[in-house]
Amino acid sequence: MTELNVNIDHVATIRQARKADYPDPVWAAALAELAGADGITCHLRIDRRHIQERDLRILRQTVRTKLNLEVSTAQDPLGVAMEVGPDIVTLVPERPEELTTEGGLSVTHNRDAITNAVNLLGERDIRISVFIDPSIDQIKAAHEIGIKMIEINTTRYVEAPNADTRRKEYGQVMDAVRLAEKLKMRIAAGHALDYKNVGPIAAIPQVTELNIGHAVIARAVLVGMERAVREMIEAIRLGEPPAA
Ligand code: PXP
């Protein structure tokens, strides 16, 4: 079944809102794993607005499944990634003013920075993924650099304003998936997925893992982490293809 990596950034967002020492994203990660999550994802942003280096260092010691760290190609977070050694590093674009990651990383426009990051992380045997829009050009460029894993940005599909656009966006996701499969890449997907829209993405057999944060943490605030994670696992299991 498609794996669920729970992104715990927003547990840290609540903590940082008061610069308190709770709630602890490390605890949240443990609860998510106990509820059946297949991995823990977090984003060490340059401005450290949510996850802190302390979180990452403890998560590296406590996460029993897999730890996926999102970072930009800037020197600062890459250095921390090298030191901590997560199982996967997902390269993402980062704009200081953004509320959340706004789009996929353009591999075609950032070839040198991405190649540097790949070479650096390769020294530590860390699996490297790039978060990209569902675009043939981006996948080809990632493959040329030697990247073997991608995370497809699902935002445009999820936020499509009507059924026609949604069908078109789903088609783009499927084209991207088919090419990545042909190139023998491991395929993840994520961003803006929730309990209602996850089905058609979870139903794509080549997509082996999903990174989901906001929807799960928002629900966990009300119903508890264990139930929020279990319900997402159930939504993924039920994954339905899109309406024709
Ligand atoms: N994938 C990537 C690359 C992200 O940057 C994020 C947000 O940090 C997610 C997935 C999770 O997105 P959401 O919080 O909308 O589920």
Side-chain angles (χ1 to χ4, degrees):
M1 200 183 87
T2 317
E3 294 186 353
L4 168 65
N5 304 327
V6 175
N7 181 317
I8 53 167
D9 290 350
H10 293 313
V11 176
T13 301
I14 297 172
R15 177 190 61 191
Q16 296 309 114
R18 287 293 173 93
K19 301 271 184 290
D21 55 8
Y22 66 90
D24 194 329
V26 174
W27 290 27
L31 290 171
E33 287 189 308
L34 285 169
D38 302 288
I40 299 299
T41 296
C42 61
H43 184 171
L44 185 72
R45 295 189 68 102
I46 295 169
D47 64 10
R48 305 291 195 269
R49 71 169 74 152
H50 39 52
I51 293 293
Q52 307 293 307
E53 285 174 46
R54 165 267 179 206
D55 304 331
L56 202 52
R57 291 182 209 290
I58 302 177
L59 286 167
R60 177 60 297 179
Q61 292 173 30
T62 56
V63 167
R64 316 305 302 170
T65 52
K66 64 174 175 296
L67 181 61
N68 171 29
L69 174 63
E70 297 172 2
V71 286
S72 76
T73 55
Q75 212 177 348
D76 155 50
L78 269 185
V80 179
M82 281 294 284
E83 200 191 309
V84 171
D87 300 294
I88 303 173
V89 164
T90 301
L91 298 173
V92 298
E94 201 172 302
R95 197 173 67 84
E97 305 79 30
E98 70 190 359
L99 281 180
T100 178
T101 313
E102 285 172 339
L105 181 61
S106 172
V107 185
T108 49
H109 284 93
N110 296 282
R111 226 175 254 269
D112 289 352
I114 295 171
T115 304
N116 284 343
V118 167
N119 291 340
L120 189 70
L121 295 164
E123 287 172 22
R124 275 220 57 178
D125 201 24
I126 298 170
R127 189 188 289 271
I128 301 156
S129 178
V130 276
F131 179 62
I132 52 176
D133 291 329
S135 140
I136 299 298
D137 287 349
Q138 297 302 332
I139 292 174
K140 283 186 182 160
H143 183 251
E144 278 164 21
I145 291 177
I147 290 171
K148 296 187 176 64
M149 179 171 181
I150 55 166
E151 178 180 343
I152 296 177
N153 180 7
T154 47
T155 313
R156 284 212 311 256
Y157 162 68
V158 163
E159 293 181 353
N162 54 53
D164 263 4
T165 318
R166 193 166 310 114
R167 218 177 346 252
K168 197 177 120 250
E169 295 295 347
Y170 195 76
Q172 304 255 21
V173 170
M174 288 310 301
D175 289 347
V177 163
R178 286 190 203 101
L179 176 60
E181 182 187 31
K182 210 162 119 195
L183 297 173
K184 300 197 174 0
M185 289 171 142
R186 183 161 147 174
I187 310 169
H191 208 261
L193 295 174
D194 65 21
Y195 295 84
K196 290 209 173 101
N197 64 30
V198 73
I201 298 294
I204 303 171
Q206 298 93 330
V207 173
T208 53
E209 55 198 279
L210 300 174
N211 291 302
I212 307 182
H214 187 265
V216 172
I217 304 306
R219 191 159 181 81
V221 168
L222 300 179
V223 306
M225 185 62 114
E226 183 177 346
R227 187 168 145 194
V229 171
R230 284 194 198 287
E231 287 177 357
M232 184 56 83
I233 291 171
E234 183 61 7
I236 290 170
R237 193 184 67 76
L238 289 174
E240 292 156 20

